[in-house]
């Protein structure tokens, strides 16, 4: 008689428990056939899997709601015009240990966004508290650190610029909180962009199964080297349909190096505007294929302008590596740090040309509520002019904690106590984990003063 279908995994486990003793004992599968060793990923995974961790986060999302002026009458003149609400949340994700000695773990920004507590579970069962070193929303990369931990396994980074469509790929992560899971597939496409036009995207596409909870996990080659950080999927209901995306390891490496040095990403700017290169544009400008980035405008005095890039140029390579689209150009430049020299391969009037550009600093901003509760409602950015450095208060929301503490738009934060603050990275390091009142040294106009932030 045909058995009824099982409707839940819990039922399946019970069924296995009830019939396991009646099953016959089968011989183990052969390790070799006709003298040839059976292929297996197990030896590689045994070495690399300890380098992929599960991440558990707890925190709160801050939402703001402004009271319409027409309703202020009902609440009275002293009622705040803006209501701030915090909603607690818990989340799961994955991460990859990239430096065992220093305890550095890379993951996605969206995994830890808003987190107040981050814990990491190793493959051997140990659970550790992790510190957020820095993150970048636009590239969706974050760096964590665990201190004084022995026996960590790091995953070696591959050169993601050498990947080819059709190469085998292995994904490791923590889908749906089940625990470490391995799936396999191939590289389906390269240079994917357009999932979110505001972000920097140069994704590796793979059909290795990636699901919710895999974010921040590893995409590996057959040598166990890190090709990319699994980040997103394309699926109607949030499930795997064979279209997953990973941030290339080279891009992640550039961003992590900046976070380690500065506490944030110091994004470089080239200063070009353009679009994807169509076959029609390629023909009009004497180029034989439609791979590259068409430049429609160059900003005056920008890095591109000083390097000699002109409107109508087609950028076909960055640092000797071919690019496929304007989106890929944007992502590669955006992941390189300010001040970096970049070699650009161009096609102009049908002829190839190479120029060197030195990237400008985009200028970074930060929502201060992620730094200290007393700064909630302030928007900050790096400032450097005429030898003066610090953190500029770009905006302060009315009735916010920052406003109550006396912070005003245009204030320049230059220190905490006797500690000099030169940039957001310095400020983040000094404020990290400190919820006590702190003496903030600011310059307002021509005056220097201290504000107690609490």
């Amino acid at each position: 008689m045909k058995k009824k279908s099982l409707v839940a995994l819990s039922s399946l486990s019970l069924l296995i428990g009830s019939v396991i003793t009646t099953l016959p004992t089968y011989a183990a599968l052969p390790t070799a056939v006709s003298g040839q060793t059976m292929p297996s990923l197990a030896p590689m995974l045994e070495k690399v899997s300890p380098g992929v961790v599960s991440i558990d986060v707890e925190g709160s999302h801050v939402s703001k709601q402004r009271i319409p002026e027409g309703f202020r009458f009902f609440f009275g003149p002293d009622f705040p015009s803006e209501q701030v609400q915090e909603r607690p949340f818990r989340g799961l994700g994955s991460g990859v240990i990239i430096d065992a000695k220093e305890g550095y773990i890379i993951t996605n920004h969206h995994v830890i966004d808003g987190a107040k507590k981050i814990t990491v579970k190793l493959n051997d069962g140990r659970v550790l508290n992790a510190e957020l070193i820095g993150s970048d929303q636009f590239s969706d990369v974050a760096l964590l650190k665990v201190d004084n931990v022995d026996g960590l396994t790091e995953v070696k980074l591959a050169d993601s610029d050498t990947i080819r469509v059709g190469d085998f790929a292995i994904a490791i992560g923590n889908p749906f909180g089940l625990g470490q899971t391995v799936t396999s597939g191939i590289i389906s496409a390269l240079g994917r962009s357009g999932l979110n036009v505001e972000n920097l995207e140069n994704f590796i596409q793979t059909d290795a199964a990636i699901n919710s909870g895999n974010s921040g996990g590893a995409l590996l080659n057959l040598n166990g080297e890190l090709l990319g950080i699994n980040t997103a999927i394309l699926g109607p209901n949030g499930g795997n349909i064979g279209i997953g995306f990973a941030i290339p390891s080279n891009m992640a490496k550039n961003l992590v190096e900046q976070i380690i040095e500065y506490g944030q990403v110091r994004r470089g700017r080239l200063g070009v505007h353009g679009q994807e290169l169509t076959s029609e544009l390629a023909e009009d400008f004497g180029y034989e294929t439609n791979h590259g980035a068409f430049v429609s405008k160059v900003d005056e005095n920008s890095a591109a302008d000083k390097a000699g890039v002109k409107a109508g140029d087609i950028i076909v390579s960055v640092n000797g590596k071919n690019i496929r689209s304007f989106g890929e150009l944007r992502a590669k430049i955006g992941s390189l740090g300010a001040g970096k020299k970049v070699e650009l391969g161009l096609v102009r009037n049908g002829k190839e040309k190479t120029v060197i550009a030195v990237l400008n600093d985009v200028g970074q901003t930060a929502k201060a509520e992620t730094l200290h509760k007393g700064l909630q409602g302030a928007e900050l950015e790096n400032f450097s002019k005429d030898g003066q450095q610090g953190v500029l208060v770009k905006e302060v929301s009315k009735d916010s904690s920052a406003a109550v503490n006396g912070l005003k738009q245009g204030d320049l934060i230059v220190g905490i106590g006797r500690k000099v603050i030169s940039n957001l990275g310095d400020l983040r390091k000094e404020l990290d984990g400190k919820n006590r009142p702190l003496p903030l040294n600011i310059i307002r106009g021509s005056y220097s003063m201290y504000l107690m932030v609490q």
Side-chain angles (χ1 to χ4, degrees):
M1 181 176 66
K2 186 176 181 181
K3 294 183 179 180
K4 293 182 180 179
S5 299
L6 297 169
V7 295
L9 286 174
S10 58
S11 298
L12 178 60
S13 63
L14 288 172
L15 176 67
I16 291 175
S18 64
V19 301
I20 189 85
T21 56
T22 64
L23 293 175
T25 300
Y26 292 102
L29 290 173
T31 59
V33 175
S34 300
Q36 298 294 315
T37 302
M38 295 284 284
S40 175
L41 297 173
M44 179 271 286
L45 291 171
E46 288 170 356
K47 295 179 180 179
V48 177
S49 291
V52 182
V53 303
S54 299
I55 296 176
D56 191 338
V57 301
E58 299 178 31
S60 58
H61 288 306
V62 178
S63 61
K64 299 179 181 180
Q65 184 176 10
R66 182 170 291 277
I67 305 298
E69 290 298 324
F71 290 90
R72 293 295 300 279
F73 171 79
F74 298 101
F75 298 98
D78 297 329
F79 194 81
S81 61
E82 188 176 66
Q83 295 294 299
V84 178
Q85 292 183 332
E86 290 192 18
R87 296 183 178 180
F89 75 92
R90 292 193 65 179
L92 296 170
S94 306
V96 184
I97 301 172
I98 57 171
D99 189 326
K101 181 179 179 181
E102 298 296 332
Y104 287 134
I105 299 171
I106 190 171
T107 186
N108 287 134
H109 168 83
H110 74 259
V111 170
I112 54 81
D113 187 23
K116 294 182 178 178
K117 181 180 179 182
I118 305 173
T119 56
V120 169
K121 184 175 182 180
L122 304 182
N123 196 33
D124 60 13
R126 285 182 289 172
V127 178
L128 312 169
N129 290 323
E131 171 194 3
L132 175 62
I133 301 300
S135 68
D136 181 51
Q137 173 185 352
F138 298 104
S139 58
D140 203 11
V141 166
L143 184 68
L144 309 178
K145 189 177 192 300
V146 292
D147 290 321
N148 303 318
V149 181
D150 295 326
L152 294 180
T153 298
E154 68 184 37
V155 180
K156 182 181 177 181
L157 272 64
D159 180 359
S160 57
D161 287 332
T162 64
I163 299 173
R164 299 177 301 170
V165 173
D167 287 349
F168 288 108
I170 314 299
I172 308 180
N174 177 31
F176 303 111
L178 290 171
Q180 192 174 92
T181 302
V182 179
T183 58
S184 66
I186 63 169
I187 302 300
S188 306
L190 299 169
R192 289 297 197 207
S193 61
L195 276 71
N196 185 334
V197 294
E198 296 298 321
N199 288 354
L200 299 176
E201 299 176 342
N202 180 30
F203 289 126
I204 301 167
Q205 182 182 326
T206 180
D207 65 348
I210 297 174
N211 289 285
S212 297
N214 273 104
S215 290
L219 187 69
L220 307 170
N221 61 21
L222 293 184
N223 292 323
E225 299 167 329
L226 188 67
L227 298 176
I229 302 299
N230 297 325
T231 298
I233 59 175
L234 189 64
N237 300 310
N240 173 63
I241 60 170
I243 303 177
F245 301 97
I247 299 169
S249 58
N250 287 357
M251 181 174 172
K253 179 176 180 289
N254 289 334
L255 296 165
V256 163
E257 288 175 349
Q258 295 170 55
I259 292 173
I260 291 173
E261 184 171 358
Y262 304 109
Q264 62 171 4
V265 172
R266 293 185 60 191
R267 202 176 312 288
R269 182 175 183 270
L270 183 59
V272 298
H273 305 264
Q275 65 181 66
E276 308 303 344
L277 182 65
T278 64
S279 57
E280 292 82 5
L281 275 174
E283 183 178 355
D284 290 340
F285 286 87
Y287 191 45
E288 294 182 355
T289 74
N290 60 350
H291 285 173
F294 176 72
V295 178
S296 60
K297 179 185 176 183
V298 178
D299 291 337
E300 187 176 357
N301 294 322
S302 66
D305 186 26
K306 294 175 181 178
V309 180
K310 299 182 182 299
D313 286 348
I314 299 167
I315 300 177
V316 296
S317 67
V318 174
N319 291 334
K321 304 293 185 180
N322 292 336
I323 60 170
R324 300 165 186 80
S325 64
F326 195 88
E328 184 175 355
L329 171 69
R330 183 170 175 264
K332 282 184 176 291
I333 294 299
S335 61
L336 294 173
K340 289 290 183 69
K341 288 185 178 180
V342 181
E343 180 185 285
L344 301 173
L346 310 173
V347 173
R348 180 183 298 164
N349 298 325
K351 297 182 180 179
E352 296 184 359
K353 181 180 178 66
T354 301
V355 300
I356 303 294
V358 180
L359 301 181
N360 303 127
D361 195 338
V362 170
Q364 303 301 306
T365 64
K367 293 294 184 181
E369 52 259 37
T370 65
L371 304 176
H372 190 279
K373 63 181 181 180
L375 295 177
Q376 185 174 15
E379 186 171 340
L380 312 174
E381 68 179 10
N382 285 334
F383 176 87
S384 179
K385 186 177 181 181
D386 299 328
Q388 178 70 67
Q389 290 184 315
V391 175
L392 181 68
V393 180
K394 186 177 180 182
E395 186 179 342
V396 179
S397 299
K398 186 179 179 181
D399 301 322
S400 65
S401 296
V404 170
N405 281 319
L407 213 59
K408 295 184 178 181
Q409 182 179 358
D411 285 349
L412 183 65
I413 302 171
V414 294
I416 297 178
R418 293 184 296 174
K419 180 69 176 181
V420 175
I421 300 297
S422 299
N423 53 47
L424 281 167
D426 290 345
L427 184 63
R428 182 176 284 108
K429 289 176 183 177
E430 287 303 306
L431 293 177
D432 183 51
K434 298 176 182 177
N435 289 319
R436 60 179 175 83
L438 295 170
L440 211 63
N441 185 198
I442 67 169
I443 295 176
R444 181 177 294 168
S446 58
Y447 296 95
S448 177
M449 58 189 293
Y450 280 91
L451 291 177
M452 290 302 295
V453 174
Q454 50 192 336

